[in-house]
Amino acid sequence: MNVFVQTSLKTYCASLLLIYSVKHHLGLNVPFSSLSIFREEIKWRKWADDWLVHLISPNVYRSTGEALASFDYIVREGKFGTSLQSILQDDVRQDLCKAVNECVSAIGKKLFMSGDQPNLADLAMYGVVRVMEGLEAWNDMMENTKVKSWYRRMEKATESHEDHN
């Protein structure tokens, strides 16, 4: 087995163990049943980290007015970080809405990415989307995508875990 395959296999196994451990720690009763479910979860966690998070900055700083409003909000709330992305359309809001709808399409008719309970991919996407709450980008995203019902389910699902460390 070559070094690349060994490294990829180790990374994949470490990801599976992390997912299982976090779910167990959160008290989620999710059986370790299918590798395809975990592959899908890993894919969408990576997608949220590698693509969706990079759509925040260009969307909250799209115009002078939005930039000033975003800066004011960030100073008040203090829950926003920076990120960079260079492969965007002229209208970055289209990129954001397209990316969010892509993930919602992957969820399909299920409540969450893996079924009836959120998985780490849901949590990754929720974290990226939630950081924009209170900004014009968030309002546009809620109005122009199909994410709202999933987002509300995630809010409800995470409420019971907010006070836990």
Side-chain angles (χ1 to χ4, degrees):
M1 191 178 309
N2 69 36
V3 175
F4 176 75
V5 172
Q6 287 177 330
T7 304
S8 296
L9 186 58
K10 286 179 185 177
T11 302
Y12 181 72
C13 290
S15 293
L16 289 177
L17 288 173
L18 175 65
I19 291 168
Y20 185 75
S21 297
V22 169
K23 287 180 178 182
H24 179 72
H25 176 73
L26 293 174
L28 299 176
N29 187 16
V30 180
F32 193 84
S33 60
S34 168
L35 286 179
S36 65
I37 290 172
F38 287 108
R39 281 190 191 114
E40 190 73 5
E41 183 172 345
I42 291 167
K43 171 186 160 187
W44 286 104
R45 283 178 49 220
K46 183 171 175 25
W47 174 87
D49 291 342
D50 293 348
W51 177 246
L52 185 61
V53 73
H54 295 287
L55 295 172
I56 294 172
S57 291
N59 273 278
V60 300
Y61 301 120
R62 185 173 65 158
S63 68
T64 304
E66 278 188 79
L68 292 172
S70 298
F71 180 75
D72 181 55
Y73 180 80
I74 291 163
V75 168
R76 274 187 330 221
E77 299 295 326
K79 64 176 186 178
F80 189 76
T82 60
S83 58
L84 300 173
Q85 177 62 330
S86 60
I87 308 171
L88 298 173
Q89 298 179 45
D90 289 336
D91 182 356
V92 292
R93 199 69 99 233
Q94 288 180 3
D95 287 313
L96 177 65
C97 291
K98 180 181 175 187
V100 169
N101 278 332
E102 182 180 349
C103 191
V104 172
S105 292
I107 295 168
K109 295 183 188 275
K110 300 175 290 195
L111 295 176
F112 302 102
M113 191 64 73
S114 65
D116 292 338
Q117 293 184 342
N119 64 22
L120 293 178
D122 289 294
L123 289 172
M125 183 177 165
Y126 178 69
V128 172
V129 172
R130 185 172 183 211
V131 78
M132 291 183 280
E133 191 168 348
L135 303 175
E136 189 175 334
W138 189 85
N139 294 334
D140 284 352
M141 180 178 47
M142 288 296 146
E143 290 174 20
N144 297 305
T145 68
K146 298 176 181 180
V147 75
K148 191 182 288 186
S149 59
W150 169 86
Y151 187 82
R152 298 296 179 223
R153 288 191 299 271
M154 284 300 298
E155 281 182 317
K156 188 174 181 176
T158 58
E159 278 176 359
S160 63
H161 296 287
E162 271 184 5
D163 297 330
H164 297 108
N165 291 343

